[in-house]
Amino acid sequence: MKSHHFVSSPVDSLQGDITVPGDKSISHRSIILGAIAKGVTTVHGFLDGEDCLSTMQAFRNMGVSIEGPVSQRVVIHGVGKHGLEKPENVIDCGNSGTTMRLLAGLLAAQPFDTELTGDQSLLKRPMERVSRPLHQMGAAISTTKGRPPLLIRGGQSLHGITYEMPEASAQVKSSLLLAGMYAKGETRVIEPGLTRDHTERMLTAFSYPIHKSGNAIVINAASECLGTDVIVPGDISSAAFFIVAATIVPGAELFIRNVGINPTRTGIIQILKRMGASIKITNKRLCGEELVADLYVKHAPLEGIDIPAAMVPLAIDEFPVIFVAASCAKGQTVLHGAKELRCKESDRITAMADGLKILGIDAEALDDGIRINGGVIRGGVVDSRRDHRIAMAFTIAGSVAKDPVTILHCANVATSFPTFVKTANKVKLNVQETNDA
Ligand code: S3P
């Protein structure tokens, strides 16, 4: 298989004014709700990364007419709640856990059978976290020892349940809410901690009633989604790489415009600020149901901290690059309560600890987190394990390393941030791409 690598060389400044591509979580949800809505939905700022294109293709295969993306604009001709058609083939979710888990909930309630599969990484990821509660609702889903492919038997009549999620997962919550839109009675999902609430906000934008009481979210089948206009803000998970870069490169100064700052996603800002980062949030505004702002980030010296476990779900995708920040901080940073990082696109605890050690950082993988002593990042060769966020995190490490850092197997950066290298070089990072056979 052809492989794509990055070489990130040290820089002595970072400056610029950038935007980042649309939010991945919101882009997925805009397609899902747009497809089952009555009427037309227009999405602006859609992320045309491979993960969201997997979701889009899945709905095209189920008979939904979708135009675009052209200049990040997508037009979805919704087929209504009961208008999806049986796909002719297996649905390929690619690298995208969000596609597979959210679709599992929706497809469990359809009158036809479906099969969901994915790439080598996705085939290893746990799916019983959605299949178990969906079974309780009356769904018929089979897995292979809890992993994909998922075989979903249609024609089941679902009923609402009260489900206390054992893991703080927005994907599980969203999967059950989508199933709950077809279930008899009420579906109540109780979160152990706050997780991203884009599904709830987007349901509201599509005029579908949803009720929140304490840490429970309640939905029933009595309504329909109505097509609407969705404006997708820039993805804070993509901005995260540049927030950290601007924090650790001496003399750096960076504006990042139009970033989603939904409070269930801003753990990265809180954590970095506790470490001493200089991040100013300006021009706060509402964009549909989502909060958006411009960020101004300046270089600042960092100090190691104990990251509070309650912040874990609020920064879950940002930890690889937070670990790079911790490697540049004075003293020790410790994270616990983050076992979930072991079942992302790679085992992100092992991937980061191993790579940081190669680059000369004293990092120790813990069962549920990591311990990092800040130090000097050396050059070297690290493996991203085909995980987009590991690849981008080590690219940022390279910008402050003593010598170039080569990051292997970076093709999956296209799943979430296809323009990453271009944006990096625009702010004067020094990133080269290479291919080998
Ligand atoms: C996501 C939820 C999170 C996150 C993922 C996107 C979503 O996963 O890591 O990248 O869009 O709902 P979990 O639900 O597994 O925490």
Side-chain angles (χ1 to χ4, degrees):
M1 203 206 313
K2 217 171 168 205
S3 241
H4 190 72
H5 315 303
F6 292 168
V7 181
S8 176
S9 301
V11 294
D12 50 25
S13 79
L14 182 157
Q15 233 121 46
D17 195 325
I18 58 168
T19 56
V20 291
D23 187 278
K24 185 149 79 75
S25 294
I26 297 175
S27 295
H28 280 298
R29 287 156 171 83
S30 70
I31 297 290
I32 297 173
L33 295 190
I36 59 166
K38 257 192 191 162
V40 175
T41 292
T42 305
V43 186
H44 305 267
F46 181 77
L47 167 64
D48 50 2
E50 288 167 6
D51 279 8
C52 299
L53 296 178
S54 294
T55 295
M56 186 182 265
Q57 190 55 44
F59 284 95
R60 283 187 170 137
N61 294 351
M62 290 188 281
V64 183
S65 160
I66 306 176
E67 299 167 50
V70 176
S71 306
Q72 289 80 50
R73 183 171 172 273
V74 170
V75 180
I76 308 158
H77 299 269
V79 294
K81 203 170 168 182
H82 299 285
L84 294 176
E85 292 167 11
K86 180 175 168 52
E88 273 176 23
N89 296 308
V90 173
I91 292 175
D92 186 355
C93 303
N95 192 244
S96 174
T98 307
T99 307
M100 185 169 283
R101 295 197 179 116
L102 269 57
L103 287 194
L106 180 69
L107 296 179
Q110 302 305 315
F112 48 81
D113 297 350
T114 38
E115 181 173 347
L116 303 181
T117 191
D119 71 3
Q120 285 308 312
S121 152
L122 188 52
L123 289 177
K124 290 191 204 128
R125 296 181 65 186
M127 290 299 147
E128 76 286 356
R129 56 181 56 201
V130 286
S131 63
R132 193 188 326 108
L134 288 169
H135 280 149
Q136 290 174 24
M137 295 178 77
I141 301 182
S142 57
T143 64
T144 306
K145 295 191 182 136
R147 320 262 157 204
L150 300 183
L151 300 172
I152 304 176
R153 195 139 42 79
Q156 315 297 310
S157 55
L158 305 189
H159 53 84
I161 57 169
T162 293
Y163 187 67
E164 274 191 51
M165 288 196 295
E167 58 289 291
S169 164
Q171 292 179 350
V172 174
K173 170 177 66 176
S174 304
S175 185
L176 301 184
L177 293 177
L178 287 167
M181 292 171 73
Y182 295 83
K184 194 165 162 236
E186 246 176 30
T187 300
R188 291 171 70 86
V189 187
I190 301 171
E191 303 193 275
L194 200 58
T195 68
R196 66 188 68 192
D197 64 359
H198 304 301
T199 302
E200 298 91 304
R201 286 175 193 258
M202 200 170 285
L203 280 164
T204 304
F206 277 84
S207 311
Y208 200 103
I210 182 150
H211 177 66
K212 212 174 168 219
S213 90
N215 51 355
I217 301 112
V218 187
I219 196 166
N220 65 44
S223 304
E224 275 264 13
C225 283
L226 304 179
T228 187
D229 274 11
V230 178
I231 301 173
V232 183
D235 197 329
I236 191 167
S237 298
S238 297
F241 300 103
F242 293 101
I243 297 174
V244 169
T247 299
I248 62 180
V249 172
E253 230 184 324
L254 183 67
F255 286 96
I256 316 176
R257 313 267 178 196
N258 190 39
V259 180
I261 54 156
N262 178 315
T264 61
R265 296 286 298 282
T266 46
I268 168 94
I269 295 179
Q270 293 172 47
I271 291 168
L272 290 175
K273 276 190 167 173
R274 277 193 189 211
M275 296 175 78
S278 167
I279 306 167
K280 284 212 173 75
I281 300 177
T282 62
N283 197 13
K284 242 193 217 180
R285 59 221 184 252
L286 253 185
C287 193
E289 298 293 321
E290 295 284 350
L291 255 186
V292 176
D294 300 334
L295 307 181
Y296 173 60
V297 190
K298 267 196 325 190
H299 167 72
L302 298 180
E303 292 206 4
I305 59 165
D306 285 353
I307 300 174
M311 282 189 181
V312 169
L314 311 181
I316 189 69
D317 290 340
E318 289 66 73
F319 281 110
V321 80
I322 289 172
F323 298 163
V324 172
S327 302
C328 301
K330 191 165 153 240
Q332 183 168 276
T333 295
V334 183
L335 173 69
H336 282 291
K339 212 168 185 167
E340 278 291 308
L341 291 178
R342 292 197 180 273
C343 41
K344 294 294 177 188
E345 286 82 330
S346 69
D347 173 345
R348 288 183 174 161
I349 292 176
T350 307
M352 287 306 299
D354 287 359
L356 289 174
K357 279 189 256 179
I358 289 171
L359 301 183
I361 295 297
D362 172 14
E364 184 194 352
L366 308 172
D367 179 46
D368 66 341
I370 202 163
R371 187 193 50 73
I372 296 169
N373 276 313
V376 175
I377 299 181
R378 288 198 303 248
V381 180
V382 296
D383 189 351
S384 77
R385 304 181 188 214
R386 302 183 195 278
D387 181 329
H388 55 139
R389 300 204 197 280
I390 303 294
M392 291 186 275
F394 280 119
T395 304
I396 301 308
S399 66
V400 291
K402 287 283 153 224
D403 289 297
V405 174
T406 298
I407 307 109
L408 301 177
H409 308 308
C410 298
N412 279 338
V413 165
T415 60
S416 67
F417 199 163
T419 50
F420 172 70
V421 171
K422 203 171 144 206
T423 308
N425 289 324
K426 188 178 165 196
V427 298
K428 308 223 172 5
L429 295 187
N430 181 353
V431 187
Q432 309 297 319
E433 299 176 85
T434 66
N435 285 311
D436 65 22

